[in-house]
Amino acid sequence: MESAFGIFNLNKQLLTAIEELGYTSPSPIQKEAIPLILEGHDVLGIAQTGTGKTAAFVLPLLMKIKYAQGQHIRCLILTPTRELAVQIDTAIAELGLYTDVRHKAIYGGTGTKTQIEALQAGIDILVATPGRFMDLYLKGEIVTKDLQYMVLDEADKMMDMGFMPQIRKILEVIPRKRKNLLFSATFPEKVERLSYEFLEAPVRVEITPQATTAETVEQVLYETPNFRTKINLLSNLVQQDELQRAIVFCRTKTVADNVFHFLERKVLNKDSVRVIHANKSQNTRLNSINAFREGNIRVLVSTDVSARGIDILEVSHVINFDVPVIYEDYVHRIGRTGRANLSGQAITFMTPAEAYHIGKIEKIIRAEIPRRAIPKEVDVPSTPFDEQQAILREIDNQRKKEDPTFKGAFHEKKNKPGKSSTFKPKKARKGRRK
Ligand code: AMP
């Protein structure tokens, strides 16, 4: 299936990786930044985590760097924390899977041996925290003469963490003739000053999620301990009369298919629900969307990515079966309900592993989404062992992301189901462990 990423001049290797990652359409920051970087502009990007900003610079950089060449670094990405360095390096590994581009994250708090070995073997893209970069540079392990691209990611955080003097030193030891990209979640004066120093005739790209959400839209959040509860709650909601037309957003194709089949078989009549995702042909998707638009079907199940960019008119209900990981999507989705003075509801289901993302979304919308208790008639089964383990693992990863010194509380063997849960459903009923 052709992907909407085809609009960029990316090569086959990158497009294949994008497809395998399940990205079907570029996020707004990607749409704007990728062509500019490919054209060779310095770019100033104001975008928060969760907007897809990493791929917005990693994809065009991979396109420019193209393949392994020489020993010395050609691209340097500076980040404030070790966690972010690892995250970016992972994105390079995923998106560059079908290229032979060599990359490595280097950061403090750990030995230098393997980092030095990798540098000696040859690196094309280096992701680094400023301190460790300077350490290894001064040791003569990093040669900057071939450097063509430099990225400062989360510049505001770097300023806040007092990295400015180190960044200045780094700028002194790298070639003047190079392309620069600066990404920052916010744009305070100090970042503006840095941008004058660092960028040459930059093009500014700004993705600021709307801070306010439509007033006619009621937002509701249910704390659902597990997948099964989400399914039970959804089937209860779609049977309510007030739900005239709803889109149900799911994170993956598999979840979307499961939800669709469940609704089709057990809850709704076959003609009132459809599913759209990347495995459906363009035609099938368009037919479903048109049928939905014309009011012939009540419920449209979609993956997060398929729905992006499609303007789906007015709906009475948006149901986030999964919490969106591109946080802006939350805001955009809410905008789909409650138009033209119709009142709408945006309903979100949240497992304990998704509470982290909800925290981030609430920061963006500057409001707490009101919690609502799960209706009494909805069965809340207890969480199966495997699902519970997966949830705990994800929570651990999130804590590590926020605090690089956090070693992790999750131990595969020690945990017994139920015991270590940090999230107790308020009303676990009829629960029996299998
Ligand atoms: P970031 O804002 O770079 O931290 O990315 C947030 C999340 O969105 C990451 O998990 C990415 O893998 C994912 N992502 C990035 N671009 C896309 C896209 N075009 N479609 C779907 N997911 C994406």
Side-chain angles (χ1 to χ4, degrees), residues 164-221:
M164 197 56 217
Q166 274 158 318
I167 292 172
R168 284 228 168 80
K169 274 192 202 129
I170 295 173
L171 292 179
E172 279 168 22
V173 303
I174 60 175
R176 278 183 182 283
K177 199 171 147 12
R178 49 161 211 270
K179 303 286 180 203
N180 302 294
L181 310 174
L182 187 153
F183 282 82
S184 189
T186 57
F187 197 57
E189 213 183 306
K190 54 193 174 192
V191 177
E192 193 175 346
R193 269 195 312 254
L194 171 69
S195 72
Y196 294 136
E197 225 172 291
F198 177 63
L199 301 167
E200 214 168 284
V203 182
R204 178 172 164 150
V205 173
E206 186 162 359
I207 303 295
T208 32
Q210 276 164 260
T212 50
T213 35
E215 275 171 14
T216 45
V217 179
E218 186 189 9
Q219 298 178 62
V220 179
L221 188 116

Side-chain angles (χ1 to χ4, degrees), residues 5 18 21-30 47-57 59 84 87 91 94-95 153-154 304-305 308 325-327 329 401:
F5 279 89
I18 290 168
L21 285 170
Y23 305 173
T24 46
S25 59
S27 69
I29 185 86
Q30 292 165 0
Q48 304 185 329
T49 301
T51 53
K53 69 170 168 79
T54 315
F57 63 80
L59 280 169
L84 186 60
Q87 239 169 282
E94 289 173 351
L95 293 165
D153 194 21
E154 299 206 351
D304 284 346
V305 285
R308 194 171 310 122
V325 286
I326 303 240
Y327 304 139
D329 285 349
K401 213 187 251 181

Side-chain angles (χ1 to χ4, degrees), residues 372-418:
R372 187 175 292 177
I374 297 175
K376 284 200 181 58
E377 60 277 19
V378 174
D379 183 25
V380 180
S382 62
T383 311
F385 181 70
D386 287 351
E387 189 179 354
Q388 182 70 3
Q389 295 291 91
I391 288 174
L392 291 172
R393 205 176 300 122
E394 210 169 315
I395 292 173
D396 243 27
N397 288 338
Q398 292 158 355
R399 287 186 61 183
K400 281 186 204 149
K401 213 187 251 181
E402 294 298 311
D403 173 12
T405 59
F406 176 69
K407 293 281 184 291
F410 179 72
H411 303 290
E412 203 84 40
K413 287 197 183 97
K414 271 195 225 151
N415 280 332
K416 294 231 161 52

Side-chain angles (χ1 to χ4, degrees), residues 141-412:
E141 299 294 347
I142 299 172
V143 177
T144 56
K145 69 177 176 55
D146 295 338
L147 194 74
Q148 298 161 16
Y149 292 91
M150 166 110 171
V151 184
L152 291 183
D153 194 21
E154 299 206 351
D156 47 355
K157 200 160 175 186
M158 282 210 258
M159 306 280 100
D160 291 343
M161 289 171 76
F163 282 135
M164 197 56 217
Q166 274 158 318
I167 292 172
R168 284 228 168 80
K169 274 192 202 129
I170 295 173
L171 292 179
E172 279 168 22
V173 303
I174 60 175
R176 278 183 182 283
K177 199 171 147 12
R178 49 161 211 270
K179 303 286 180 203
N180 302 294
L181 310 174
L182 187 153
F183 282 82
S184 189
T186 57
F187 197 57
E189 213 183 306
K190 54 193 174 192
V191 177
E192 193 175 346
R193 269 195 312 254
L194 171 69
S195 72
Y196 294 136
E197 225 172 291
F198 177 63
L199 301 167
E200 214 168 284
V203 182
R204 178 172 164 150
V205 173
E206 186 162 359
I207 303 295
T208 32
Q210 276 164 260
T212 50
T213 35
E215 275 171 14
T216 45
V217 179
E218 186 189 9
Q219 298 178 62
V220 179
L221 188 116
Y222 290 100
E223 294 181 343
T224 46
N226 48 44
F227 181 81
R228 206 58 231 173
T229 307
K230 285 186 174 185
I231 286 279
N232 295 347
L233 180 58
L234 179 67
S235 74
N236 172 280
L237 292 173
V238 297
Q239 292 179 76
Q240 314 283 329
D241 285 343
E242 72 210 43
L243 186 138
Q244 294 148 5
R245 204 150 54 158
I247 309 187
V248 179
F249 292 102
C250 305
R251 191 174 295 175
T252 65
K253 285 181 273 201
T254 317
V255 176
D257 272 335
N258 287 342
V259 168
F260 166 70
H261 288 305
F262 178 83
L263 291 179
E264 189 191 29
R265 279 192 212 127
K266 302 255 167 80
V267 189
L268 297 167
N269 119 18
K270 195 163 150 289
D271 299 324
S272 51
V273 56
R274 297 266 179 91
V275 61
I276 54 170
H277 57 57
N279 281 5
K280 301 276 168 194
S281 73
Q282 183 79 355
N283 257 349
T284 313
R285 281 191 281 164
L286 283 177
N287 282 341
S288 302
I289 290 166
N290 285 337
F292 185 67
R293 189 173 279 150
E294 283 156 21
N296 300 335
I297 52 175
R298 262 179 83 206
V299 178
L300 185 68
V301 182
S302 168
T303 52
D304 284 346
V305 285
S306 292
R308 194 171 310 122
I310 305 171
D311 185 28
I312 306 187
L313 33 122
E314 289 146 30
V315 292
S316 66
H317 288 70
V318 158
I319 300 178
N320 292 308
F321 190 85
D322 298 308
V323 175
V325 286
I326 303 240
Y327 304 139
E328 280 188 297
D329 285 349
Y330 182 84
V331 183
H332 291 149
R333 284 174 202 174
I334 287 177
R336 295 190 195 286
T337 72
R339 287 199 194 152
N341 293 332
L342 293 169
S343 58
Q345 257 194 4
I347 301 169
T348 303
F349 299 170
M350 175 184 86
T351 66
E354 293 173 314
Y356 171 83
H357 302 297
I358 285 293
K360 303 268 181 191
I361 288 169
E362 289 180 328
K363 249 195 196 151
I364 292 174
I365 63 172
R366 295 198 213 107
E368 198 180 325
I369 308 168
R371 271 58 172 169
R372 187 175 292 177
I374 297 175
K376 284 200 181 58
E377 60 277 19
V378 174
D379 183 25
V380 180
S382 62
T383 311
F385 181 70
D386 287 351
E387 189 179 354
Q388 182 70 3
Q389 295 291 91
I391 288 174
L392 291 172
R393 205 176 300 122
E394 210 169 315
I395 292 173
D396 243 27
N397 288 338
Q398 292 158 355
R399 287 186 61 183
K400 281 186 204 149
K401 213 187 251 181
E402 294 298 311
D403 173 12
T405 59
F406 176 69
K407 293 281 184 291
F410 179 72
H411 303 290
E412 203 84 40

Side-chain angles (χ1 to χ4, degrees), residues 9-11 14 38 58-66:
N9 251 336
L10 298 171
N11 60 27
L14 296 177
L38 286 176
V58 166
L59 280 169
L61 286 173
L62 279 168
M63 187 66 198
K64 294 282 185 187
I65 296 295
K66 230 167 209 156

